[in-house]
């Protein structure tokens, strides 16, 4: 079933919010890193993985989720966090390493945890897959119809945890959806050189679960496929594997010169920027410029507020580094 | 075992249990008390655990709460973290500690860091129980201890009982703990007939719930001349040595670490402040191990040593298969006696 | 193509040798362990995994192998070692922990290495899979047509290494054959409760490689399937996955009471003992009693010699425990 | 760096290289000399290694010998062991040491034990290079050191250079070694522009082949009052501290371990025999680490200490992300000066 009008607008708003957020983070990240790029410097240190271009995957899937559904995400997680409803101010403050961050600056960009919406992410490829199966089993044991979604990149589909987690989910008939964001690259390694078959969704058969492939970064198709999978999981039908063709509009992390990327690839993808594509499609469906502008303004304000919140927040006291090692 | 002694003194008739039974009993009591406690692992269902840690649990609690898993340690330990984050209290078994290499990420980078990365908002009340130790010819991939491998990494608590009383109490503490606890059990103490068992590990265990605190060592024999620090099996070797030493006029104080992380530094410091002599007995690899940490920790303090501290360990070689090779490499009471006598030479001369 | 007569007889001889060997090991293993079974006691300590019933897998596959082909095996490896041509005397001495053992008693039953025939095994489930891919790549890089075979149990097919190794082999088009001995059990856990699909050979599709299933522990069919796979690998066609239905006639290890095993299962399997089945089939094909007896005598002598060799060998000197940690 | 100093003195003009370039150069020379040397890992092809360890190698040697792998560490490290057993000399990169958890079995149970389990008949000439260290805000899964985690396990050699000269020489030794060598390189010294680099790591590197022996520490600054033992980054911190201390009349001797396993116990013993004061500076987790082993090893000897040995380390908490938290937790020259002054209080009072 195609998404309702208000769902589509909410999805668009999340996509825009994510994109604006990353534009803002990008600028902030580069502060103190110019002219000499040094990851350690500026208000946001460390690696920075942007998700621009991949918003449809997050938004189209999370549109079906409730707060009590769990999501485990990857190192490239901003879009997913936003789509899952992670508190944007606290998330931003976390990325700035501030006291008001989700974990008081302990985790940072690759370790965003928001227990209010059951979201977490990780810096280890495929690490979230087992926990998603566990979250799903917990829901099942509790008699709830909550589900879990594990997002990974196509590169992660060659990690052992992928295999073990899909098999375990299938054996347990756990209500979990595995979503592969296939952006064709694992850092500099192309999917076609790292992966023995063209579509990871075909690997679902190895676990007796349905596999769906969604081409072309198409948010409506993603929404559809995810809807089926979430519905199936809530109804006790067990796990599903979905692979989505998406695109990485930026480098693997900021500072990546992308010398390995064929000339023109990024320009081609930018021309098909899913934000532009979706805006056009929504316009064709009758959304007015006024509505777009109001959505975009709201998104802009949310992001600006979040950045301001983060910047104004204090740095944590050193002693807090010794706290919460144990609960 | 001071605690044990007390318990034994007051309770009659005694219930002498093996560590395996004590662990199973602790888990069963917890499962009775709290529906959120579940058990996952290989062969923990119908078999009751290769090392008898889950005996009778499948029958009592059913397959939904006692779940045999595929041979997929990364997935099921990862799943346990997800279960714990969702409010469950999973107990997972890693059959042999030697297998940590296929799943350490889920343990040290995931379970151990949930609390920190979430600023304490997500906790990980998970027990990872795993067998350690050799001496029975199971060779280099089934006989390791790896105490320090786990204890070095923040976010994990690591415990190991030397007897059934502590096993039950530590297990109940571990299950109640909001954090991941690696519960090591030594095969030579486990009480599985087919492995042989040091008799001292089979002691009175009260039938009710009680806890042995994590992070606290036990002084299992007091003495003024030398401190012998052991853990698990080596506690028994140290006690045996202490008996021999006593006959030679050397009074050894024996400390059972019980917790490896956090280490009870105060207990060690208090003992060496008195004895000013220290031997650590550890069946793990020698270098970069528990013995080094205990000695370094003690030496950082201002002890006026009567002789330099020493360690008795497995050497830095893989654990060999042949009994002709393995046995002489492991710590023994005789080695402890020999080293103690050497350190106390001023006393015996 | 069906095996030639002499190949079939050699396969039968290896099967018999393996069975006799294990019967002898079984007796020796129990020495010192009665009336109280204690793994630490007797001339052979530690775990003891017997392969009786699984001989066809080893023998049918290895019939196609040369000494320069590599084999990596599991904890249950006697039959494979024998089929690959591992020196029986040294192997037996190793199991007895003696100086003349393959590694002078350092490795033992789960760590049999014979570099003369490129055989090794391991105590970690699925550990040998990556090394087999590496051995295959080494052959390919050297321009040799040697192949590698990785034997695993069906339980190992749920381990992450399985997935990673198959994908890597396929990506590298490495001349490697993955052979799953499906004896239906991983210790006490039945395949049907641990594995999401009925046949692991179907998992080959996840790596774009051929998958073959061989039912009924049938040595001639195994020989056939393996022949195709080895031929394909030598010709540069890349990896193959084979799953063989086989049976575990003993406990997981000696001392296993097998309370988890349905009543009658073992008796049923014993009635279909592949040794008896194959002997009958060969008899039907015209092999005479005299020939059988000569083969069986030879096998019996080889085993008796090996046991004697092992028993007579000295225990290693303690100092040797400190040698060969490094090469 | 005594070696470096010598080299620098005699060779003109100097070739100042980063560690990344020195590593790439060593690998390239080896690949030129021996067709059996190949490189495997993630992003080591077109990208030249995330940390620049394989720069230019794909172009020079082609995709058959410089092989980008899937994100399958268990499989490709396992494959490297198979390659090594077959006579090849694989160099594999584990991008961050933090990822050891997904593949440690292939390292410690497989590669490390090939020789022993085969009685020396099968060897494992493999180099596992891996980045360590933090300080640049990459948080708890990308900033760890884990020196002791590897050094504790027999069958592995573990090295880490503090400068480009040692990097090349140690890499050439590692490649020539018949055994698995874990070659750690510290991100703060690597010389990747985007990471910032301690200038002292960029030194003259002769263009020809030479080796720096595994298992031998370097005394990079002589001194009589206190021994400062460091490795990788902390060597530079210790040197910086030593300069400050010299101005206060304290002559610190600085030892660069270079090899963690085997540890050069003689070098440490010789130094502390002279100085009778010891501080170990180590950016790994505090407990059960390199610092404990160095201190314990020294204390086993019969040193008549002027003050109790001390260690300066990262504390036993996961590495926090925020610079406000991470920086104060790491060792620093100031902390070394402070501790040294404390240990030498009799001298400065
Ligand atoms: C186990 C592990 N191996 C390697 C890495 C290093 N690494 C981080 S992201 C990445 C690429 C991941 O590719 P993919 O899964 O496609 O996700 P993408 O970056 O494209 O979103 C790699 C190799 C890691 N973090 N964890
Ligand atoms: C990584 C790992 N996990 C668990 C074990 C313990 N274990 C040894 S054999 C075995 C069962 C293996 O089953 P399968 O692969 O079917 O082989 P089989 O024993 O049936 O021959 C298990 C779980 C191990 N050795 N390694
Ligand atoms: Mg990708
Ligand atoms: Mg099996």
């Amino acid at each position: 079933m195609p998404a309702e009008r208000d769902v589509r607008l909410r999805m668009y708003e999340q996509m825009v919010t994510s994109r604006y957020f990353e534009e803002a983070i990008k600028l902030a990240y580069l502060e103190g890193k110019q002219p000499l790029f040094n990851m350690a410097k500026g208000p946001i240190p460390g690696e920075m993985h942007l998700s621009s271009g991949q918003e449809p995957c997050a938004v189209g899937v999370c549109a079906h989720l409730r707060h009590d559904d769990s999501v485990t995400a990857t190192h490239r997680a901003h879009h997913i966090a936003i789509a899952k409803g992670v508190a944007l101010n606290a998330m931003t403050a976390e990325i700035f390493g501030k006291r008001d961050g989700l974990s008081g600056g302990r985790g940072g960009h690759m370790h965003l945890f928001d227990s209010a919406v059951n979201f977490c992410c990780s810096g280890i490829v495929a690490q979230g897959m087992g926990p998603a199966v566990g979250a799903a089993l917990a829901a099942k044991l509790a008699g709830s119809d909550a589900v879990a979604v594990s997002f990974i990149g196509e590169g992660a589909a060659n990690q052992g945890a992928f295999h073990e987690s899909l098999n375990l989910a299938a054996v347990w008939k756990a209500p979990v959806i595995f979503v592969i964001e296939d952006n064709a690259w694992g850092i500099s390694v192309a999917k076609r050189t790292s992966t023995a078959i063209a579509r990871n969704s075909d690997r679902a058969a190895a676990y007796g679960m349905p596999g769906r492939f969604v081409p072309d970064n198409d948010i409506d198709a993603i929404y559809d496929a995810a809807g089926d999978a979430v519905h199936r999981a809530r109804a006790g039908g067990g796990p599903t594997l979905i692979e989505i063709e998406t695109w990485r509009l930026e480098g693997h992390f900021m500072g990546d010169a992308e010398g390995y990327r064929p000339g023109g690839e990024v320009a081609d993808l930018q021309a098909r920027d899913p934000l532009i594509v979706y805006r056009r499609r929504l316009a064709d469906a009758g959304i007015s410029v006024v509505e777009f502008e109001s959505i975009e303004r709201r998104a802009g304000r949310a992001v600006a507020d979040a950045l301001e919140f983060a910047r104004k927040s204090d740095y944590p006291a050193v002693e807090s580094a010794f706290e919460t090692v144990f609960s | 075992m001071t605690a044990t002694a007390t318990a034994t003194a007051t309770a009659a008739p005694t219930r002498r249990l093996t560590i395996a039974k004590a662990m199973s009993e602790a888990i069963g009591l917890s499962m009775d008390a709290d529906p959120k406690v579940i058990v996952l692992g290989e062969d923990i269902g119908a078999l009751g655990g290769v090392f008898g840690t889950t005996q009778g649990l499948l029958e009592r609690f059913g397959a939904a709460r006692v779940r045999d898993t595929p041979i997929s340690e990364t997935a099921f330990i990862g799943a346990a973290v997800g279960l714990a984050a969702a409010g469950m209290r999973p107990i997972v078994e890693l059959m042999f500690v030697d297998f940590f290499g296929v799943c350490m990420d889920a343990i040290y980078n995931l379970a151990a860091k949930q609390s920190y990365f979430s600023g304490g908002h997500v906790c990980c009340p998970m027990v990872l129980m795993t067998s350690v130790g050799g001496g029975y010819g199971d060779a280099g991939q089934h006989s390791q201890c790896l105490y320090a491998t786990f204890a070095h990494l923040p976010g994990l608590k690591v415990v190991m009982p030397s007897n059934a009383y502590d096993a039950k109490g530590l297990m109940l503490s571990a299950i109640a703990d909001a954090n991941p606890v690696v519960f090591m059990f030594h095969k030579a103490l486990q009480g599985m007939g087919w492995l042989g068992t040091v008799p001292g590990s089979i002691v009175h265990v009260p039938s009710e719930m009680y806890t042995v605190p994590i992070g606290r060592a036990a002084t299992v024999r007091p003495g003024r001349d030398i401190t012998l620090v052991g853990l698990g099996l080596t506690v028994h070797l140290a006690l045996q040595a202490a008996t021999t030493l006593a006959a030679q006029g050397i009074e050894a104080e024996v400390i059972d670490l019980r917790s490896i992380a956090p280490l009870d530094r105060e207990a060690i410091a208090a003992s060496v402040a008195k004895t000013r002599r220290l031997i650590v007995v550890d069946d793990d690899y020698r270098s970069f191990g528990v013995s080094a940490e205990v000695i370094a920790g003690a030496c950082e303090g201002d002890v006026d040593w009567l002789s330099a501290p020493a360690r008795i360990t497995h050497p830095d070689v893989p654990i060999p298969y042949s009994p002709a090779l393995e046995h002489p490499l492991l710590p023994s009471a005789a080695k402890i006696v020999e080293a103690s006598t050497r350190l106390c030479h001023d006393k015996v001369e």
Side-chain angles (χ1 to χ4, degrees), chain A residues 51-111:
Chain A
S51 64
S52 345
Q54 301 187 193
E55 297 90 347
C57 311
V59 162
V61 171
C62 294
H64 299 283
L65 301 184
R66 309 182 308 234
H67 282 183
D68 65 335
D69 296 323
S70 300
V71 163
T72 65
T74 66
H75 56 288
R76 195 181 306 289
H78 299 154
H79 56 324
I80 309 173
I82 287 169
K84 185 65 172 70
V86 169
L88 194 63
N89 284 3
M91 166 171 155
T92 312
E94 184 63 31
I95 294 173
F96 276 77
K98 296 298 184 69
R99 160 185 303 184
D100 297 311
L102 288 166
S103 72
R106 294 181 189 84
H109 145 81
M110 284 191 272
H111 310 290

Side-chain angles (χ1 to χ4, degrees), chain B residues 252-276:
Chain B
E253 178 148 301
V254 180
I255 293 182
D256 177 352
L257 287 180
R258 297 198 299 197
S259 288
I260 310 171
L263 198 60
D264 190 346
R265 298 178 187 278
E266 290 73 36
I268 300 164
S271 181
V272 296
K274 176 173 65 177
T275 62
R276 298 163 60 198

Side-chain angles (χ1 to χ4, degrees), chain B residues 89-347:
Chain B
R89 295 198 161 260
I91 301 169
V92 284
E93 180 159 288
L94 177 65
M95 195 186 293
F96 289 76
V97 76
D98 312 66
F99 307 160
F100 90 100
V102 303
C103 57
M104 191 58 166
D105 185 68
I107 301 169
Y108 104 103
N109 246 346
L110 176 65
K113 292 173 184 162
Q114 288 281 102
S115 176
Y116 201 70
F117 285 159
S118 69
H121 292 293
V122 178
C123 64
C124 191
M126 165 181 131
V127 181
L128 181 83
M129 52 186 184
T130 189
S131 74
V132 305
Y136 64 102
D138 222 5
Q141 291 177 338
H142 289 78
S143 302
Q144 299 170 92
C145 292
L146 308 181
Y147 309 130
T149 305
F150 287 81
H152 181 48
L153 300 166
L156 298 173
K157 301 184 181 182
V158 185
V159 303
M160 178 167 58
S162 68
N163 63 76
Y165 178 88
D166 286 350
K168 180 171 173 183
L170 284 169
M171 178 57 84
L172 287 167
S173 290
I175 296 171
D177 204 294
N179 301 288
V181 179
V182 178
F183 187 103
M184 295 179 159
F185 54 92
H186 200 292
K187 280 167 273 176
L189 305 177
Q190 190 62 1
M192 303 304 282
W194 51 274
L195 270 170
T197 296
V198 174
S201 67
I202 303 173
V203 298
H204 170 72
V205 175
S207 55
E208 64 275 10
M209 278 195 163
Y210 62 92
T211 57
V212 167
I214 294 175
R216 287 249 278 286
T219 302
V220 295
R221 179 187 173 116
R224 60 167 188 271
D225 296 326
I226 185 166
T227 301
L228 303 177
V229 173
L231 70 173
L233 173 62
T234 67
V235 171
H236 299 278
L237 304 179
L239 284 170
Q240 215 183 309
T243 307
T244 309
L245 288 166
Q248 304 175 16
I250 297 174
E251 286 304 330
E253 178 148 301
V254 180
I255 293 182
D256 177 352
L257 287 180
R258 297 198 299 197
S259 288
I260 310 171
L263 198 60
D264 190 346
R265 298 178 187 278
E266 290 73 36
I268 300 164
S271 181
V272 296
K274 176 173 65 177
T275 62
R276 298 163 60 198
R277 293 189 188 90
L278 170 66
I279 294 176
V280 188
V281 194
D282 166 13
D283 46 348
D284 196 359
Y285 301 119
R286 184 175 192 80
S287 298
F288 304 90
V290 168
S291 56
E293 181 58 43
V294 171
I295 291 175
C299 290
E300 280 170 325
D302 252 327
V303 182
D304 187 13
W305 298 102
L306 291 171
S307 42
R311 44 186 160 175
I312 295 169
T313 67
H314 191 279
D316 290 327
V317 310
I319 297 166
Y321 162 71
S322 175
L325 303 177
E326 184 189 21
H327 293 173
L329 262 49
L330 288 167
S332 67
K335 289 184 191 177
I336 301 170
V337 169
E338 186 275 320
S340 301
T341 317
R342 186 160 40 75
L343 262 65
C344 299
H345 58 87
D346 49 318
K347 285 217 54 172

Side-chain angles (χ1 to χ4, degrees), chain A residues 246-313:
Chain A
T246 189
W247 23 89
R248 199 184 86 192
L249 297 179
E250 302 278 348
H252 170 72
F253 49 39
M254 286 190 69
D256 179 1
E258 294 189 89
Y260 52 83
R261 222 161 164 185
E265 181 181 297
V266 176
D268 281 358
L269 297 177
Q270 263 159 352
R272 294 189 287 156
D273 184 332
L275 230 69
I276 299 169
V277 171
Y278 200 45
R279 196 183 202 274
R280 203 176 302 132
R281 193 183 293 173
L282 291 177
D284 291 348
I287 307 300
S288 70
V289 173
V290 176
E291 280 175 293
F292 282 127
E293 286 180 355
S294 124
I295 286 173
E296 287 153 8
R297 222 176 7 249
R298 206 158 53 230
R301 205 154 40 226
V303 168
D305 286 353
L307 269 283
E308 199 193 325
F309 176 84
R311 288 192 191 271
K312 283 203 174 144
S313 173

Side-chain angles (χ1 to χ4, degrees), chain A:
Chain A
M1 29 139 214
E4 306 282 335
R5 187 189 142 94
D6 63 326
V7 172
R8 297 184 88 187
L9 290 184
R10 199 168 60 240
M11 294 200 297
Y12 179 70
E13 178 162 343
Q14 287 178 346
M15 284 175 67
V16 174
T17 306
S18 183
R19 182 66 60 87
Y20 286 4
F21 177 75
E22 291 204 335
E23 292 303 330
I25 289 290
K26 210 161 132 172
L27 288 177
Y29 184 76
L30 288 174
E31 287 170 29
K33 297 191 181 72
Q34 276 159 336
L36 228 71
F37 184 87
N38 177 339
M39 222 172 238
K41 305 283 184 198
I44 306 178
E47 290 173 68
M48 175 52 61
H49 311 87
L50 298 177
S51 64
S52 345
Q54 301 187 193
E55 297 90 347
C57 311
V59 162
V61 171
C62 294
H64 299 283
L65 301 184
R66 309 182 308 234
H67 282 183
D68 65 335
D69 296 323
S70 300
V71 163
T72 65
T74 66
H75 56 288
R76 195 181 306 289
H78 299 154
H79 56 324
I80 309 173
I82 287 169
K84 185 65 172 70
V86 169
L88 194 63
N89 284 3
M91 166 171 155
T92 312
E94 184 63 31
I95 294 173
F96 276 77
K98 296 298 184 69
R99 160 185 303 184
D100 297 311
L102 288 166
S103 72
R106 294 181 189 84
H109 145 81
M110 284 191 272
H111 310 290
L112 303 168
F113 280 68
D114 188 346
S115 57
V117 296
N118 292 297
F119 176 89
C120 66
C121 64
S122 158
I124 302 294
V125 159
Q127 194 192 59
M129 303 190 80
V133 178
L137 178 63
K140 185 173 163 158
L141 289 174
S144 140
D145 69 346
V147 303
V149 179
S150 168
F151 285 88
I152 58 167
E154 90 297 335
N158 296 320
Q159 179 71 211
F162 172 90
H163 178 64
E164 295 191 2
S165 301
L166 267 76
N167 183 63
L168 190 64
V171 164
W172 284 352
K173 234 182 167 189
V176 54
I177 298 100
F178 301 102
V179 177
I180 302 175
E181 298 184 69
D182 173 10
N183 62 11
W185 294 96
I187 310 186
S188 71
V189 180
K191 183 188 191 187
R192 95 190 156 277
T193 68
S194 69
T195 308
I197 57 171
R199 293 187 179 172
N200 282 306
S201 47
D202 292 344
R203 291 179 164 174
Y207 315 101
M209 70 174 75
R212 284 280 286 272
F213 176 72
V214 182
D216 216 29
N217 214 6
D218 180 334
I219 183 160
D220 290 315
I222 295 166
Y223 178 84
D224 244 44
D228 291 351
V230 170
H231 184 261
R232 184 182 145 85
R234 293 208 199 284
T240 299
L241 174 65
I242 299 175
E243 182 160 69
I244 301 169
E245 185 192 10
T246 189
W247 23 89
R248 199 184 86 192
L249 297 179
E250 302 278 348
H252 170 72
F253 49 39
M254 286 190 69
D256 179 1
E258 294 189 89
Y260 52 83
R261 222 161 164 185
E265 181 181 297
V266 176
D268 281 358
L269 297 177
Q270 263 159 352
R272 294 189 287 156
D273 184 332
L275 230 69
I276 299 169
V277 171
Y278 200 45
R279 196 183 202 274
R280 203 176 302 132
R281 193 183 293 173
L282 291 177
D284 291 348
I287 307 300
S288 70
V289 173
V290 176
E291 280 175 293
F292 282 127
E293 286 180 355
S294 124
I295 286 173
E296 287 153 8
R297 222 176 7 249
R298 206 158 53 230
R301 205 154 40 226
V303 168
D305 286 353
L307 269 283
E308 199 193 325
F309 176 84
R311 288 192 191 271
K312 283 203 174 144
S313 173
D314 285 335
Y315 279 105
V318 184
E319 306 78 61
S320 73
F322 295 88
E323 296 160 6
T324 76
V325 178
F326 293 109
S327 285

